[in-house]
Amino acid sequence: MGKTQNLYDRIAAAFFFGVGAFFALYACTIEIGAWNEPGPGFLPFWGGIILVMMSLSLLAITWKRVGLASPSFFPESDSWKRVTATFVALIAYNLVFDVLGFTLATFLFIGFLVKFIFPQSWLRSFIVAASAALIAKLLFVNFLQTQLPKGFLGL
Amino acid sequence: MNRWKVVGLTAAISFLLIVSAGAQNFPTGPIAYMNPFNPGGEVDIAARAMQPYLEKAFAQPFVINYLPGAGGALCWSKLAAAKPDGYTIGGFSIPHIILQPIFMKDVAYKSDDFVIFSIVEYTPIGLAVKKDSPVNTFKEFVEYTKANPGKINCGGVGKFTGHHFATLQYMKLSGAKVNYVTFQGTSEVQTALLGGHIDAAFTNSTLLVTSRDQIKVLAVGSPQRMSQLKDIPTFEELGFKMYPRIARGAMGPKAIPKDIQKVIEKAFLDTTSQPDFKVKMEKAGFVPQVMGIAESHKFLEAEAVTIKQLAKDFDLK
Amino acid sequence: MDLWNHILLGVQVCLDPLNLLFCFIGVVMGTLVGVLPGLGPTAAIAILLPNTFHVSPVTAIIMLAGIYYGAMYGGSTTSILVNIPGEASSVITCLDGYQMARKGRAGAALGIAAFGSFIAGTIAVLGLMLVAPPLAKFALAFGPPEYFSLMLLGIAILIYLAAGSILKALIMAVFGLLIGTIGMDSISATQRLTCGLLELCDGVGLIPAIMGLFGVAEVIANVEQEIKREFVTTRVRNLLPTLQDWKDSIWPMIRGGFLGFFIGILPGPAPVISAFTSYAIEKKLSKHPEKFGTGMIEGVAGPEAANNAATGGAFIPLFTLGIPSNSVIAVLLGAFMIHGIQPGPMLIANHPDLFWGTIISMYIGNAMLLVLNLPLIGIWVQVLKVPYPILFPLILLFCLVGVFSLNYSKVEVSLMIGFGVFGYLARKFQFEMAPLVLALVIGPMMESKLRLSLVISHGSPLIFVEKPISALFLLISLALLISPMISKIGKRRQKLQKIVEGEEV
């Protein structure tokens, strides 16, 4: 694909430049303090500045040396689908599991992932999801007495 | 009797029966107690000591849950918004619940959002100096700090806490200036004091009692001498009218119905008046209290006045 | 001899069937909790605490102590098998342990971890028996300046440990430091970047960060691949370590044990620091330092021994001074008080049965752990054989529940997912995770000790060199940072010389 490590490093350098600048600017709004009496803004400010400088040197290095060719971002053509789907599942779980209740949400979550990421049969997915949800509930709620949300179905 | 009077009487009696039945039916399930700090801390110890008695009084399980964070503010914000049915109550510390709404941002409660069922104990805050300190009595300490303004390092836990305010009170009454050093927990203060890294500390009585032999305890902030520290004078005796302390107990959202409040209050009062409970608490360095709702709120108001005045005096923001 | 009598007393206490039972329960609960990501020993102790009211204090403490070191061991299991550290101290075990598992050597890794923990635990117990009181005094000599210099040394070691590009490791470390500043500053009570969320007041949680960076990110990275490849060689060659493994590991274990014990005495995140100090030492002493990170057994033996020994060392301040070194020990302290035992220097004198009983129980507990866990290795390896399409959702589930159950906070779960995204991208961009995590652990402490020291010294930075222990650490840090540069310069000069002398072009 022709992408080299250099491109990745440049993107990374830009990202960290932004992070460092953000912290340094934010620190200006809270008291920075002096060398021998640092305030709450001291570490964020100087840490941010150092990060900015380091990302600039990273950037500089990418121009000096010849980049090694690196593999394409996603190893397989449909990788991005699996990766995105998994993240979406995680975010969705976090959003709804206190509404749906722990057991139901877990069942749906596991079922979705087993069925759609690396496709398994419907029966297999169902069995795995159901047993996982059940065992998890028994383990965490009943045995370990963790307070997990019950949801509107009382599950 | 007049027919209407009969009806009226029946209605009144039924109403009373229903209301008291409401109170009598409470609690029908477990009571959840929210601990705003970590397990093993003072609130936890007091709660665990009370647990067996409370379970007997309520005839229901008394479950202790932990919700630490932001120095207790997280738990108290949640408690203020909890369902006021009496099944969710929590522990508290005074002066934290007075100071946090004033000085901390984003705190979602006010001190009058709660009904305090009982103040169960308080730990007076006392003054201790390190073992090899040149000072041996409180008077010497006062002179020492006056002679070295800003140089004596005095440790405590956090800013806008009981320890911080004790230090401020001392500075106000003595006219001396000390350097307040903020630590993140009592055990850090303990290590620093025992190791001689700080000169002095205003700290909880529990620490003063347990580390007695490794530090010099100069004074204590209770109204009378503590039984665990019989030979240590109180600030009052030494001419300093200050009673710094951290008081703890149980509270709940204000909107809990009055009759349920009474039931909870009674359970706590029964617990705290048990002699063996008192003995246990004293051994650990606490000063156990038996206070109901009215007394506790009076206490809260009195402390609030002192603290707000101190904050004004020192122009704290 | 007096010591012998004490030991006999301890054995007597310990062999009481009730105490043995509670020791067993503690150890089992501890391992279970350690294996489940997120749930920590504090949670287990809090759950079991009410059950201890009805038994004697000695029995209670034996069980609670068992939970603590059981959890330490359990944490290593997940690190090796699925690259998810059970807690911060197991992060280092992930580095080589997981690589060993990928090569089919999970059994050997788990076995060495078990034996290493046992041997280290024994060293710690011996240390406790023989030298507890004088060592406690040593711990007290550490004030804020000494801690700061120690942390700085830790950062220097961290830089030294960087396997790949030093610049990138440094970037991650500084990033970790910056993330560590989020929260309420304890010294001035200012809110830093908390965005109105009370949950962030105590800072970005370590567990969400670790779960996200190591757990979630790893799973997502694996999910990318086509399923045809085996992610972990399921043909496990040996369930137990071979003789060669033993020969390689024995000295790292012993070194790690002593190191961990001494560092463990200091209040603070001792298991973490001892684990990665041990890793650094083993790397330095090894004949093949460049192989560290690809599955060197020394990289598992040393750190595992170190973090277990640190657990033992952490009991010293508790028993001798009544000072808790970390939050788990603080709970134990609370348990003492609830049972009416006065912690402090008089504890050993007033309650010898408690002290010696607990010590001997630690030895027995460590033995129990070994006996319990070795057969379990076979079972754990079977877990790896579960087809990945079914395994990975379960791993993710454990991460989610684990993080949520810490503080019942959806904010922390979101943080974990966020860290997961970041960790996934970081792998793509060839950045290492370990420096970030270690900086997140050390950073806040370092900052608070720095500022505290300056408050105590009224603004004079000289305090760091005036105090002897602190000065010593600073010197070692400097030496550590300069030495690679010196050797680099030395190599360059040699190369230059060879060119000049016509041996190289």
Side-chain angles (χ1 to χ4, degrees):
Chain A
M1 273 205 107
K3 285 213 185 103
T4 66
Q5 184 61 34
N6 275 345
L7 178 62
Y8 288 144
D9 283 353
R10 282 177 199 155
I11 299 178
F15 171 73
F16 283 114
F17 182 87
V19 169
F22 172 73
F23 271 94
L25 286 172
Y26 175 77
C28 292
T29 65
I30 50 182
E31 192 194 317
I32 295 185
W35 273 108
N36 61 356
E37 231 189 87
F42 188 81
L43 194 65
F45 180 73
W46 288 108
I49 299 284
I50 293 180
L51 196 58
V52 163
M53 294 198 301
M54 291 205 287
S55 27
L56 286 175
S57 17
L58 185 62
L59 204 60
I61 290 182
T62 63
W63 265 292
K64 261 183 60 182
R65 61 142 193 250
V66 177
L68 308 154
S70 63
S72 61
F73 194 76
F74 287 113
E76 313 287 334
S77 55
D78 60 347
S79 282
W80 68 272
K81 289 190 209 154
R82 288 195 291 271
V83 172
T84 333
T86 315
F87 273 124
V88 166
L90 282 169
I91 297 176
Y93 187 84
N94 191 26
L95 285 174
V96 303
F97 83 110
D98 52 352
V99 169
L100 289 181
F102 171 71
T103 324
L104 181 59
T106 307
F107 173 73
L108 291 173
F109 176 74
I110 305 246
F112 172 77
L113 287 178
V114 173
K115 173 79 194 127
F116 291 105
I117 305 292
F118 291 118
Q120 310 282 314
S121 67
W122 279 106
L123 183 61
R124 226 188 198 190
S125 313
F126 181 81
I127 294 180
V128 171
S131 31
L134 207 59
I135 297 182
K137 173 180 185 300
L138 286 173
L139 179 65
F140 289 109
V141 178
N142 298 61
F143 180 58
L144 291 173
Q145 295 174 23
T146 354
Q147 312 270 6
L148 291 168
K150 290 246 173 84
F152 62 83
L153 287 180
L155 284 174
Chain B
M1 232 199 315
N2 184 314
R3 208 162 40 138
W4 289 114
K5 274 201 187 144
V6 174
V7 171
L9 208 56
T10 320
I13 294 179
S14 335
F15 178 67
L16 276 170
L17 278 172
I18 293 175
V19 166
S20 59
Q24 259 155 19
N25 282 340
F26 174 84
T28 55
I31 309 256
Y33 179 86
M34 317 286 294
N35 184 336
F37 299 103
N38 283 314
E42 278 96 356
V43 174
D44 197 33
I45 295 177
R48 300 273 179 193
M50 291 192 288
Q51 203 176 16
Y53 302 98
L54 287 171
E55 291 194 330
K56 244 200 327 193
F58 285 126
Q60 289 290 338
F62 182 75
V63 180
I64 300 181
N65 293 322
Y66 300 95
L67 198 57
L74 201 66
C75 175
W76 294 320
S77 302
K78 292 235 164 104
L79 192 60
K83 219 161 102 172
D85 55 4
Y87 286 97
T88 310
I89 61 178
F92 67 85
S93 300
I94 295 174
H96 297 60
I97 56 175
I98 303 174
L99 292 171
Q100 283 179 355
I102 305 178
F103 292 106
M104 274 179 71
K105 280 202 307 191
D106 309 319
V107 162
Y109 74 91
K110 290 186 292 298
S111 5
D112 48 8
D113 283 339
F114 305 104
V115 55
I116 300 185
F117 301 114
S118 178
I119 290 182
V120 169
E121 46 92 358
Y122 66 78
T123 47
I125 295 176
L127 174 64
V129 293
K130 59 183 180 182
K131 194 94 204 223
D132 51 357
S133 166
V135 159
N136 283 314
T137 68
F138 186 68
K139 247 181 76 176
E140 289 176 26
F141 182 75
V142 177
E143 283 159 20
Y144 188 50
T145 50
K146 276 176 134 155
N148 298 291
K151 291 241 187 65
I152 310 299
N153 288 323
C154 211
V157 178
K159 276 228 156 71
F160 309 123
T161 59
H163 300 162
H164 186 200
F165 274 70
T167 318
L168 292 178
Q169 256 185 320
Y170 168 76
M171 291 205 273
K172 178 177 177 188
L173 291 173
S174 67
K177 245 192 82 182
V178 296
N179 191 22
Y180 181 66
V181 184
T182 329
F183 290 90
Q184 278 171 316
T186 310
S187 61
E188 281 188 38
V189 176
Q190 197 178 5
T191 323
L193 190 63
L194 259 59
H197 302 285
I198 49 176
D199 302 298
F202 281 92
T203 180
N204 294 342
S205 57
T206 34
L207 187 91
L208 298 175
V209 168
T210 53
S211 295
R212 195 56 213 284
D213 305 318
Q214 296 163 290
I215 51 178
K216 292 195 234 186
V217 183
L218 298 184
V220 90
S222 42
Q224 282 109 28
R225 292 199 178 192
M226 286 179 71
S227 51
Q228 304 95 317
L229 298 167
K230 286 208 184 68
D231 52 337
I232 304 295
T234 65
F235 283 116
E236 185 183 329
E237 284 176 46
L238 297 161
F240 275 55
K241 276 211 184 305
M242 52 190 262
Y243 310 99
R245 56 194 157 198
I246 299 181
R248 304 179 192 83
M251 67 183 188
K254 198 167 48 172
I256 296 182
K258 285 272 181 342
D259 47 351
I260 296 187
Q261 285 185 18
K262 284 268 168 235
V263 174
I264 302 182
E265 178 194 32
K266 183 164 183 308
F268 277 97
L269 286 177
D270 287 342
T271 304
T272 53
S273 38
Q274 298 285 336
D276 45 341
F277 174 77
K278 284 188 178 173
V279 166
K280 247 200 194 162
M281 297 297 277
E282 279 175 6
K283 238 180 132 194
F286 297 98
V287 178
Q289 296 293 301
V290 185
M291 282 200 218
I293 298 182
E295 275 185 277
S296 306
H297 276 272
K298 261 213 314 229
F299 183 90
L300 177 68
E301 269 144 43
E303 295 282 282
V305 167
T306 321
I307 296 216
K308 288 189 183 155
Q309 185 57 44
L310 267 178
K312 252 217 291 200
D313 291 340
F314 280 88
D315 196 27
L316 292 176
K317 270 184 283 290
Chain C
M1 194 180 82
D2 211 26
L3 184 64
W4 187 242
N5 282 337
H6 288 314
I7 296 181
L8 277 183
L9 174 64
V11 173
Q12 220 179 354
V13 168
C14 218
L15 289 183
D16 179 321
L18 188 64
N19 290 346
L20 273 179
L21 176 67
F22 270 77
C23 183
F24 182 72
I25 296 179
V27 160
V28 169
M29 266 300 273
T31 316
L32 181 69
V33 152
V35 167
L36 292 173
L39 285 172
T42 329
I45 295 184
I47 293 173
L48 287 179
L49 200 54
N51 298 336
T52 64
F53 289 149
H54 311 290
V55 297
S56 79
V58 184
T59 318
I61 302 302
I62 288 180
M63 176 176 84
L64 299 175
I67 296 179
Y68 185 34
Y69 48 84
M72 277 297 151
Y73 178 69
S76 350
T77 313
T78 51
S79 308
I80 293 174
L81 291 177
V82 286
N83 206 31
I84 300 182
E87 55 253 315
S89 51
S90 318
V91 167
I92 297 286
T93 316
C94 286
L95 296 180
D96 278 82
Y98 182 59
Q99 295 305 319
M100 284 183 70
R102 292 188 86 137
K103 291 188 186 158
R105 303 238 298 144
L110 288 169
I112 286 291
F115 280 110
S117 302
F118 175 69
I119 292 179
T122 316
I123 296 179
V125 171
L126 280 173
L128 266 176
M129 288 198 299
L130 301 171
V131 292
L135 280 185
K137 290 267 156 53
F138 172 70
L140 279 185
F142 271 71
E146 285 83 1
Y147 269 104
F148 172 73
S149 306
L150 181 63
M151 302 281 138
L152 204 63
L153 180 59
I155 299 280
I157 294 180
L158 201 153
I159 296 179
Y160 176 77
L161 279 182
S165 145
I166 291 195
L167 180 62
K168 286 187 175 177
L170 271 177
I171 287 183
M172 288 296 263
V174 175
F175 187 42
L177 270 172
L178 288 176
I179 297 181
T181 61
I182 297 179
M184 183 164 82
D185 171 37
S186 59
I187 298 189
S188 63
T190 326
Q191 309 267 22
R192 297 193 283 199
L193 276 177
T194 53
C195 310
L197 287 170
L198 273 179
E199 279 92 342
L200 285 181
C201 233
D202 286 323
V204 170
L206 196 61
I207 300 286
I210 293 182
M211 292 288 130
L213 290 173
F214 283 88
V216 176
E218 175 75 22
V219 168
I220 306 278
N222 284 335
V223 159
E224 273 192 327
Q225 314 279 343
E226 267 291 313
I227 182 192
K228 297 193 207 98
R229 263 195 44 204
E230 300 289 335
F231 303 117
V232 172
T233 316
T234 51
R235 256 196 52 232
V236 176
R237 275 176 268 147
N238 275 314
L239 277 187
L240 288 180
T242 63
L243 195 60
Q244 181 60 38
D245 289 333
W246 272 104
K247 274 176 43 191
D248 291 332
S249 311
I250 191 72
W251 278 111
M253 280 196 233
I254 294 183
R255 283 191 286 261
F258 277 99
L259 185 73
F261 179 68
F262 282 103
I263 297 187
I265 301 174
L266 304 174
V272 184
I273 298 182
S274 38
F276 81 87
T277 311
S278 166
Y279 192 78
I281 291 183
E282 293 312 317
K283 192 171 170 184
K284 182 99 189 160
L285 292 175
S286 155
K287 298 195 187 64
H288 305 281
E290 68 286 350
K291 285 220 197 127
F292 270 73
T294 65
M296 294 287 277
I297 200 157
E298 294 87 332
V300 174
E304 274 303 307
N307 78 24
N308 239 63
T311 318
F315 280 94
I316 290 192
L318 175 69
F319 277 119
T320 54
L321 297 168
I323 299 180
S325 317
N326 55 51
S327 47
V328 182
I329 306 260
V331 182
L332 279 177
L333 184 67
F336 277 167
M337 296 179 84
I338 293 173
H339 283 277
I341 300 177
Q342 199 83 286
M346 301 315 292
L347 188 123
I348 303 181
N350 291 342
H351 300 274
D353 54 340
L354 180 68
F355 181 66
W356 292 106
T358 310
I359 294 200
I360 302 295
S361 85
M362 283 188 202
Y363 189 80
I364 296 189
N366 274 309
M368 277 192 200
L369 268 176
L370 194 66
V371 166
L372 229 121
N373 281 295
L374 283 179
L376 283 183
I377 291 181
I379 302 185
W380 292 128
V381 171
Q382 293 300 322
V383 167
L384 286 183
K385 288 203 181 144
V386 171
Y388 205 71
I390 298 185
L391 187 61
F392 89 86
L394 298 175
I395 298 179
L396 286 178
L397 179 68
F398 273 138
C399 290
L400 286 166
V401 179
V403 170
F404 183 73
S405 65
L406 276 180
N407 285 321
Y408 304 110
S409 159
K410 288 171 72 161
V411 171
E412 294 205 326
V413 181
S414 318
L415 275 177
M416 175 182 83
I417 300 179
F419 272 110
V421 175
F422 179 76
Y424 167 70
L425 292 172
R427 272 162 222 260
K428 289 280 172 198
F429 287 79
Q430 311 257 328
F431 280 86
E432 286 171 52
M433 241 77 66
L436 180 75
V437 172
L438 295 171
L440 200 57
V441 173
I442 295 188
M445 251 196 106
M446 210 170 94
E447 185 195 6
S448 76
K449 298 298 176 194
L450 172 69
R451 292 167 65 188
L452 215 54
S453 306
L454 288 174
V455 170
I456 291 180
S457 71
H458 308 291
S460 153
L462 287 177
I463 191 173
F464 296 110
V465 285
E466 277 167 12
K467 299 263 176 131
I469 301 181
S470 163
L472 180 67
F473 285 139
L474 286 178
L475 217 66
I476 301 180
S477 313
L478 211 61
L480 216 67
L481 289 173
I482 295 188
S483 73
M485 284 203 276
I486 293 185
S487 62
K488 236 187 186 170
I489 296 177
K491 281 205 190 112
R492 270 221 176 128
R493 287 191 63 204
Q494 275 188 357
K495 216 173 173 190
L496 217 57
Q497 227 170 342
K498 283 197 176 146
I499 294 179
V500 166
E501 288 169 3
E503 281 184 7
E504 260 189 38
V505 197

